Amino acid sequence: MRSRALLGLLLFLFHLKVSFLVSLRKSSSLPQKNNHQNISILLDSLLRGYDNSIRPNFGGPPAVIEVDIMVRSMGPISEMDMTYSMDCYFRQSWIDRRLSFSGHDNDTLALSITMLERIWKPDTYFYNGKQSYLHTITTPNQFVRLYHDGRVLYSSRLTIKAGCPMNLEDFPMDIQRCPLKFGSFGYTKKDVLYRWNSARQVAIAEDMKLSQFDLIDTPAGNQTYTSSPKETLPKRLEAFSTPLDEYSMLLVSFHLQRHMGNFLIQVYGPCVLLVVLSWVSFWLNREATADRVSLGITTVLTMTFLGLEARKDLPKVSYPTALDYFVFLSFSFIFATIIQFAIVHYFTKYGSGECYFSADLSSDDESDVEEDDWRTCEKIVHSGEGALHITSSPVHHIHPTNPTFIEIIPLNPYATLPVKTRRPSTPWGSFANHCFRRDSYHQQDVHVNSSVIRRRSIAIPNNACRKKKKRTPRFNSVSKIDRASRVVFPMFFVTINLFYWYAYLLRTHRIENVGYS
């Protein structure tokens, strides 16, 4: 019994082995999906007699190249060089009937990039490109797909640096339109035509973000570039070329709207604060000359530095930008505050008839000066009785009978000789004259260019004028010009700002394009 069971088990295993070998042979004898025994045999048969220097449909209609672009990232965008860079997948597709093979509609051959050297491909180049390169890490980022109807799909990953002519008149509220132009370098439109892929033209990655701009639109179109022989051929070959050659070209324009947040923080905000800071001088009294001048000069220098710093990253264009207008506007308001103080100081200088200083008396009990005595002294000075009399006599005796009198001395540039017995006096700045009380009389000589200035004595009450020891500020006077400037300057600045911002935002269509941001 055991021997029979063992024999049956061996027969079963032998039968299973034979069945496996038969099925393996059948599977190896099945035809491949492309109806060829080997892909290598297929490619060899396709490339047998193939000339990669001749375009498809040679001698017939032009070869049509369909293009689409997938943009992965953009930047940097340089205003100094007027260039922009982007990383993209650049795909080209064309039909070459010499590479067609029999098979199903979805049959596709993924080929190695070495196949590119054996087949024809378009000589596409970028018209406004400056520094473009193919990514080669870890291997060249390219692939080729071959379809059964002879369509070839060639895709490569490129970093393109292209020129972008920028108009910076509206900077930093500008919208730049950076084009990308590409086409055939040597084939005219009779040989090669470029078309956008109808399914997808220019696609933007969903996670793409730019630091300084917003990509608001990417319109694409077809163009025809016409060139003369002088542009493409050397002089010795100009006679063999047609007068005008037309080339097919594709164009895509990237519309970039600049972010304003950085400029609002670094330029516009500080400019407004400096202008407001310059208005502080309107609340300082007009006698504080040093304070108001130093405040004005400091704000002017700071505004100058800020304006130069704002243009550091911009090219030296021949026209002013919107930022230049605002900086100049702010500088003008700051400079106007200095001119305003010069006008205030000119109309309120010493000798204009306004009181600026009162006097400290020599004794403590006479520390308060009565307002009536002060006004009496002012009336005497303005009455004209302190007129000067120049005589030929070198000496004049002052009347000795009235020991209490007022002496009027005009402020003038003449130098006087020292007096022997006369007590020194202090000029009175408010009236451009000197007023003091005299308890005794004496005789003095004053020589001015061989002439004598006679001081006329006028008798007044004892309490009309008191002897001055030193000058101290009596009150802080406020000019009417300062009072008006406190209102006029802010209102004028706000009005100009409203007009400035509305004009530029409307001009650059930012009011309509709020939805893009």
Short mmCIF file of all heavy atoms in Angstrom, two decimals, residues 288-336:
data_model
loop_
_atom_site.label_atom_id
_atom_site.label_comp_id
_atom_site.label_asym_id
_atom_site.label_seq_id
_atom_site.Cartn_x
_atom_site.Cartn_y
_atom_site.Cartn_z
N ALA A 288 12.90 130.24 18.10
CA ALA A 288 13.74 129.04 18.18
C ALA A 288 14.36 128.77 16.81
O ALA A 288 14.05 127.79 16.13
CB ALA A 288 12.91 127.85 18.65
N THR A 289 15.24 129.66 16.41
CA THR A 289 15.84 129.56 15.08
C THR A 289 16.67 128.30 14.92
O THR A 289 16.56 127.57 13.93
CB THR A 289 16.71 130.80 14.81
OG1 THR A 289 15.91 131.98 14.98
CG2 THR A 289 17.27 130.76 13.39
N ALA A 290 17.53 128.02 15.89
CA ALA A 290 18.41 126.87 15.79
C ALA A 290 17.62 125.56 15.73
O ALA A 290 17.94 124.65 14.96
CB ALA A 290 19.38 126.84 16.97
N ASP A 291 16.55 125.47 16.54
CA ASP A 291 15.76 124.24 16.56
C ASP A 291 15.06 124.00 15.24
O ASP A 291 15.07 122.88 14.70
CB ASP A 291 14.73 124.30 17.69
CG ASP A 291 15.38 124.40 19.06
OD1 ASP A 291 16.55 123.98 19.16
OD2 ASP A 291 14.74 124.90 20.00
N ARG A 292 14.47 125.04 14.69
CA ARG A 292 13.71 124.86 13.46
C ARG A 292 14.62 124.62 12.25
O ARG A 292 14.30 123.80 11.38
CB ARG A 292 12.82 126.08 13.21
CG ARG A 292 11.77 126.27 14.27
CD ARG A 292 10.85 127.43 13.99
NE ARG A 292 10.00 127.18 12.85
CZ ARG A 292 8.90 127.88 12.57
NH1 ARG A 292 8.49 128.82 13.41
NH2 ARG A 292 8.18 127.62 11.50
N VAL A 293 15.76 125.30 12.21
CA VAL A 293 16.69 125.08 11.10
C VAL A 293 17.30 123.69 11.16
O VAL A 293 17.40 122.98 10.15
CB VAL A 293 17.78 126.16 11.10
CG1 VAL A 293 18.88 125.82 10.09
CG2 VAL A 293 17.18 127.51 10.77
N SER A 294 17.70 123.25 12.35
CA SER A 294 18.29 121.91 12.48
C SER A 294 17.28 120.82 12.15
O SER A 294 17.62 119.81 11.51
CB SER A 294 18.82 121.72 13.90
OG SER A 294 17.76 121.81 14.85
N LEU A 295 16.02 121.01 12.54
CA LEU A 295 14.98 120.04 12.19
C LEU A 295 14.78 119.98 10.68
O LEU A 295 14.66 118.89 10.09
CB LEU A 295 13.67 120.40 12.88
CG LEU A 295 12.47 119.51 12.58
CD1 LEU A 295 12.75 118.08 13.03
CD2 LEU A 295 11.20 120.04 13.25
N GLY A 296 14.75 121.13 10.03
CA GLY A 296 14.57 121.14 8.58
C GLY A 296 15.74 120.52 7.83
O GLY A 296 15.55 119.74 6.90
N ILE A 297 16.96 120.84 8.24
CA ILE A 297 18.13 120.28 7.56
C ILE A 297 18.20 118.78 7.76
O ILE A 297 18.52 118.01 6.84
CB ILE A 297 19.41 120.96 8.07
CG1 ILE A 297 19.40 122.45 7.70
CG2 ILE A 297 20.64 120.28 7.50
CD1 ILE A 297 19.36 122.72 6.22
N THR A 298 17.87 118.30 8.97
CA THR A 298 17.92 116.86 9.23
C THR A 298 16.92 116.10 8.36
O THR A 298 17.24 115.06 7.79
CB THR A 298 17.63 116.59 10.72
OG1 THR A 298 18.60 117.29 11.52
CG2 THR A 298 17.68 115.11 11.02
N THR A 299 15.70 116.60 8.25
CA THR A 299 14.70 115.93 7.43
C THR A 299 15.07 115.98 5.95
O THR A 299 14.82 115.01 5.21
CB THR A 299 13.32 116.56 7.64
OG1 THR A 299 13.42 117.99 7.48
CG2 THR A 299 12.79 116.26 9.04
N VAL A 300 15.67 117.05 5.49
CA VAL A 300 16.09 117.14 4.08
C VAL A 300 17.18 116.11 3.78
O VAL A 300 17.12 115.40 2.76
CB VAL A 300 16.57 118.56 3.76
CG1 VAL A 300 17.33 118.59 2.44
CG2 VAL A 300 15.39 119.51 3.67
N LEU A 301 18.16 116.00 4.66
CA LEU A 301 19.24 115.03 4.43
C LEU A 301 18.71 113.60 4.48
O LEU A 301 19.11 112.74 3.69
CB LEU A 301 20.35 115.23 5.47
CG LEU A 301 21.13 116.55 5.37
CD1 LEU A 301 22.16 116.64 6.48
CD2 LEU A 301 21.80 116.69 4.02
N THR A 302 17.82 113.33 5.43
CA THR A 302 17.24 111.98 5.51
C THR A 302 16.42 111.66 4.27
O THR A 302 16.46 110.54 3.75
CB THR A 302 16.36 111.87 6.77
OG1 THR A 302 17.11 112.27 7.91
CG2 THR A 302 15.87 110.45 6.96
N MET A 303 15.68 112.64 3.78
CA MET A 303 14.88 112.43 2.58
C MET A 303 15.78 112.20 1.36
O MET A 303 15.47 111.38 0.49
CB MET A 303 13.99 113.65 2.36
CG MET A 303 12.91 113.44 1.34
SD MET A 303 11.68 112.27 1.88
CE MET A 303 11.63 111.19 0.49
N THR A 304 16.90 112.89 1.30
CA THR A 304 17.83 112.69 0.19
C THR A 304 18.40 111.28 0.21
O THR A 304 18.47 110.61 -0.83
CB THR A 304 18.97 113.72 0.28
OG1 THR A 304 18.41 115.04 0.26
CG2 THR A 304 19.92 113.57 -0.89
N PHE A 305 18.80 110.82 1.37
CA PHE A 305 19.33 109.45 1.49
C PHE A 305 18.26 108.42 1.13
O PHE A 305 18.55 107.42 0.45
CB PHE A 305 19.83 109.22 2.91
CG PHE A 305 20.21 107.79 3.19
CD1 PHE A 305 21.41 107.27 2.74
CD2 PHE A 305 19.36 106.96 3.90
CE1 PHE A 305 21.75 105.96 2.98
CE2 PHE A 305 19.69 105.64 4.15
CZ PHE A 305 20.90 105.14 3.69
N LEU A 306 17.04 108.64 1.57
CA LEU A 306 15.97 107.70 1.27
C LEU A 306 15.67 107.64 -0.22
O LEU A 306 15.42 106.57 -0.78
CB LEU A 306 14.71 108.09 2.05
CG LEU A 306 13.55 107.09 2.05
CD1 LEU A 306 14.00 105.78 2.70
CD2 LEU A 306 12.36 107.65 2.80
N GLY A 307 15.71 108.78 -0.89
CA GLY A 307 15.48 108.79 -2.33
C GLY A 307 16.57 108.07 -3.11
O GLY A 307 16.28 107.35 -4.06
N LEU A 308 17.82 108.24 -2.69
CA LEU A 308 18.91 107.53 -3.37
C LEU A 308 18.85 106.04 -3.10
O LEU A 308 19.14 105.22 -3.99
CB LEU A 308 20.25 108.10 -2.89
CG LEU A 308 20.55 109.56 -3.26
CD1 LEU A 308 21.86 110.00 -2.65
CD2 LEU A 308 20.57 109.74 -4.77
N GLU A 309 18.46 105.65 -1.90
CA GLU A 309 18.37 104.23 -1.57
C GLU A 309 17.24 103.56 -2.35
O GLU A 309 17.35 102.38 -2.71
CB GLU A 309 18.13 104.08 -0.07
CG GLU A 309 18.20 102.65 0.45
CD GLU A 309 19.61 102.09 0.42
OE1 GLU A 309 20.57 102.87 0.28
OE2 GLU A 309 19.75 100.85 0.53
N ALA A 310 16.16 104.30 -2.62
CA ALA A 310 15.03 103.71 -3.35
C ALA A 310 15.39 103.38 -4.79
O ALA A 310 14.84 102.45 -5.38
CB ALA A 310 13.84 104.66 -3.31
N ARG A 311 16.33 104.10 -5.38
CA ARG A 311 16.71 103.87 -6.77
C ARG A 311 17.94 102.98 -6.90
O ARG A 311 18.48 102.83 -8.00
CB ARG A 311 16.98 105.20 -7.48
CG ARG A 311 15.73 106.01 -7.74
CD ARG A 311 16.06 107.13 -8.71
NE ARG A 311 16.56 106.61 -9.96
CZ ARG A 311 15.81 106.30 -11.02
NH1 ARG A 311 14.50 106.45 -10.94
NH2 ARG A 311 16.35 105.84 -12.13
N LYS A 312 18.40 102.40 -5.83
CA LYS A 312 19.64 101.62 -5.88
C LYS A 312 19.48 100.39 -6.77
O LYS A 312 20.42 100.03 -7.49
CB LYS A 312 20.03 101.20 -4.47
CG LYS A 312 21.33 100.43 -4.40
CD LYS A 312 21.69 100.09 -2.96
CE LYS A 312 20.68 99.12 -2.37
NZ LYS A 312 21.06 98.67 -1.02
N ASP A 313 18.33 99.74 -6.74
CA ASP A 313 18.12 98.51 -7.50
C ASP A 313 17.42 98.74 -8.83
O ASP A 313 16.89 97.80 -9.43
CB ASP A 313 17.30 97.51 -6.67
CG ASP A 313 18.03 97.08 -5.41
OD1 ASP A 313 19.27 97.07 -5.44
OD2 ASP A 313 17.37 96.78 -4.40
N LEU A 314 17.39 99.97 -9.30
CA LEU A 314 16.74 100.29 -10.57
C LEU A 314 17.77 100.73 -11.59
O LEU A 314 18.80 101.31 -11.24
CB LEU A 314 15.69 101.40 -10.38
CG LEU A 314 14.46 101.06 -9.57
CD1 LEU A 314 13.55 102.28 -9.49
CD2 LEU A 314 13.70 99.90 -10.19
N PRO A 315 17.52 100.45 -12.86
CA PRO A 315 18.45 100.94 -13.89
C PRO A 315 18.36 102.45 -14.02
O PRO A 315 17.35 103.08 -13.64
CB PRO A 315 17.95 100.23 -15.16
CG PRO A 315 16.51 99.95 -14.90
CD PRO A 315 16.41 99.66 -13.43
N LYS A 316 19.39 103.04 -14.56
CA LYS A 316 19.44 104.49 -14.72
C LYS A 316 18.71 104.89 -15.99
O LYS A 316 19.31 105.22 -17.02
CB LYS A 316 20.89 104.97 -14.75
CG LYS A 316 21.63 104.69 -13.45
CD LYS A 316 23.07 105.15 -13.51
CE LYS A 316 23.80 104.85 -12.21
NZ LYS A 316 25.22 105.29 -12.25
N VAL A 317 17.39 104.85 -15.90
CA VAL A 317 16.57 105.20 -17.05
C VAL A 317 16.50 106.71 -17.18
O VAL A 317 16.75 107.46 -16.23
CB VAL A 317 15.16 104.58 -16.91
CG1 VAL A 317 15.24 103.08 -16.97
CG2 VAL A 317 14.51 105.01 -15.59
N SER A 318 16.13 107.15 -18.37
CA SER A 318 16.12 108.59 -18.66
C SER A 318 14.82 109.27 -18.26
O SER A 318 14.71 110.49 -18.42
CB SER A 318 16.38 108.82 -20.16
OG SER A 318 15.37 108.17 -20.94
N TYR A 319 13.85 108.53 -17.78
CA TYR A 319 12.55 109.11 -17.44
C TYR A 319 12.28 108.86 -15.95
O TYR A 319 12.79 107.92 -15.36
CB TYR A 319 11.45 108.48 -18.29
CG TYR A 319 11.46 106.97 -18.31
CD1 TYR A 319 10.85 106.22 -17.30
CD2 TYR A 319 12.10 106.27 -19.33
CE1 TYR A 319 10.88 104.84 -17.31
CE2 TYR A 319 12.13 104.88 -19.34
CZ TYR A 319 11.52 104.18 -18.34
OH TYR A 319 11.55 102.82 -18.34
N PRO A 320 11.47 109.73 -15.33
CA PRO A 320 11.15 109.53 -13.91
C PRO A 320 10.09 108.45 -13.73
O PRO A 320 9.21 108.27 -14.57
CB PRO A 320 10.63 110.90 -13.47
CG PRO A 320 10.07 111.51 -14.72
CD PRO A 320 10.93 110.99 -15.85
N THR A 321 10.18 107.75 -12.63
CA THR A 321 9.19 106.73 -12.29
C THR A 321 8.16 107.30 -11.32
O THR A 321 8.31 108.43 -10.82
CB THR A 321 9.88 105.51 -11.67
OG1 THR A 321 10.49 105.90 -10.42
CG2 THR A 321 10.95 104.97 -12.60
N ALA A 322 7.14 106.51 -11.06
CA ALA A 322 6.12 106.95 -10.09
C ALA A 322 6.73 107.11 -8.70
O ALA A 322 6.35 108.02 -7.95
CB ALA A 322 4.97 105.94 -10.06
N LEU A 323 7.68 106.26 -8.37
CA LEU A 323 8.35 106.39 -7.08
C LEU A 323 9.18 107.66 -7.01
O LEU A 323 9.24 108.33 -5.97
CB LEU A 323 9.23 105.17 -6.84
CG LEU A 323 9.91 105.07 -5.47
CD1 LEU A 323 8.86 104.93 -4.37
CD2 LEU A 323 10.86 103.90 -5.43
N ASP A 324 9.82 108.04 -8.12
CA ASP A 324 10.59 109.28 -8.15
C ASP A 324 9.69 110.49 -7.93
O ASP A 324 10.07 111.44 -7.23
CB ASP A 324 11.31 109.42 -9.49
CG ASP A 324 12.38 108.35 -9.67
OD1 ASP A 324 12.88 107.84 -8.66
OD2 ASP A 324 12.68 108.02 -10.83
N TYR A 325 8.51 110.47 -8.53
CA TYR A 325 7.58 111.58 -8.33
C TYR A 325 7.19 111.72 -6.86
O TYR A 325 7.12 112.83 -6.32
CB TYR A 325 6.34 111.39 -9.19
CG TYR A 325 6.53 111.74 -10.64
CD1 TYR A 325 6.30 110.81 -11.64
CD2 TYR A 325 6.93 113.02 -11.02
CE1 TYR A 325 6.48 111.13 -12.98
CE2 TYR A 325 7.10 113.35 -12.35
CZ TYR A 325 6.88 112.41 -13.33
OH TYR A 325 7.06 112.74 -14.65
N PHE A 326 6.94 110.60 -6.20
CA PHE A 326 6.52 110.68 -4.80
C PHE A 326 7.67 111.15 -3.91
O PHE A 326 7.47 111.95 -3.00
CB PHE A 326 6.02 109.31 -4.33
CG PHE A 326 5.34 109.35 -2.99
CD1 PHE A 326 3.99 109.64 -2.90
CD2 PHE A 326 6.04 109.10 -1.83
CE1 PHE A 326 3.35 109.70 -1.68
CE2 PHE A 326 5.42 109.15 -0.59
CZ PHE A 326 4.07 109.45 -0.52
N VAL A 327 8.87 110.65 -4.17
CA VAL A 327 10.03 111.09 -3.38
C VAL A 327 10.28 112.58 -3.60
O VAL A 327 10.56 113.33 -2.65
CB VAL A 327 11.26 110.26 -3.76
CG1 VAL A 327 12.52 110.83 -3.11
CG2 VAL A 327 11.08 108.81 -3.32
N PHE A 328 10.18 113.04 -4.84
CA PHE A 328 10.37 114.47 -5.12
C PHE A 328 9.27 115.30 -4.47
O PHE A 328 9.52 116.41 -3.98
CB PHE A 328 10.39 114.70 -6.63
CG PHE A 328 10.59 116.13 -7.03
CD1 PHE A 328 11.83 116.72 -6.95
CD2 PHE A 328 9.51 116.90 -7.46
CE1 PHE A 328 12.02 118.05 -7.30
CE2 PHE A 328 9.68 118.22 -7.81
CZ PHE A 328 10.94 118.79 -7.73
N LEU A 329 8.05 114.78 -4.47
CA LEU A 329 6.94 115.48 -3.82
C LEU A 329 7.20 115.62 -2.33
O LEU A 329 7.03 116.71 -1.76
CB LEU A 329 5.64 114.72 -4.07
CG LEU A 329 4.39 115.22 -3.35
CD1 LEU A 329 4.00 116.59 -3.87
CD2 LEU A 329 3.23 114.24 -3.53
N SER A 330 7.64 114.55 -1.69
CA SER A 330 7.93 114.61 -0.26
C SER A 330 9.10 115.55 0.02
O SER A 330 9.08 116.34 0.97
CB SER A 330 8.25 113.21 0.27
OG SER A 330 7.18 112.32 0.02
N PHE A 331 10.12 115.49 -0.83
CA PHE A 331 11.26 116.38 -0.66
C PHE A 331 10.84 117.85 -0.81
O PHE A 331 11.33 118.72 -0.08
CB PHE A 331 12.34 116.03 -1.69
CG PHE A 331 13.61 116.79 -1.53
CD1 PHE A 331 14.62 116.32 -0.70
CD2 PHE A 331 13.82 117.97 -2.22
CE1 PHE A 331 15.79 117.03 -0.55
CE2 PHE A 331 14.99 118.68 -2.07
CZ PHE A 331 15.99 118.21 -1.24
N SER A 332 9.94 118.12 -1.74
CA SER A 332 9.47 119.50 -1.95
C SER A 332 8.74 120.02 -0.72
O SER A 332 8.92 121.18 -0.32
CB SER A 332 8.56 119.55 -3.17
OG SER A 332 9.25 119.12 -4.33
N PHE A 333 7.92 119.19 -0.09
CA PHE A 333 7.20 119.64 1.11
C PHE A 333 8.16 119.90 2.26
O PHE A 333 7.99 120.86 3.02
CB PHE A 333 6.15 118.59 1.51
CG PHE A 333 4.82 118.80 0.88
CD1 PHE A 333 4.53 118.28 -0.37
CD2 PHE A 333 3.85 119.55 1.53
CE1 PHE A 333 3.29 118.49 -0.95
CE2 PHE A 333 2.61 119.77 0.94
CZ PHE A 333 2.33 119.24 -0.30
N ILE A 334 9.18 119.04 2.39
CA ILE A 334 10.15 119.26 3.47
C ILE A 334 10.96 120.52 3.20
O ILE A 334 11.21 121.32 4.11
CB ILE A 334 11.07 118.03 3.59
CG1 ILE A 334 10.25 116.82 4.05
CG2 ILE A 334 12.20 118.29 4.56
CD1 ILE A 334 11.05 115.53 4.09
N PHE A 335 11.34 120.73 1.96
CA PHE A 335 12.08 121.94 1.62
C PHE A 335 11.21 123.19 1.79
O PHE A 335 11.70 124.26 2.18
CB PHE A 335 12.58 121.84 0.18
CG PHE A 335 13.48 122.97 -0.23
CD1 PHE A 335 14.79 123.02 0.20
CD2 PHE A 335 13.01 123.99 -1.05
CE1 PHE A 335 15.62 124.05 -0.17
CE2 PHE A 335 13.83 125.02 -1.43
CZ PHE A 335 15.15 125.06 -0.99
N ALA A 336 9.90 123.04 1.52
CA ALA A 336 9.00 124.18 1.68
C ALA A 336 8.89 124.62 3.13
O ALA A 336 8.67 125.80 3.42
CB ALA A 336 7.62 123.84 1.12
#
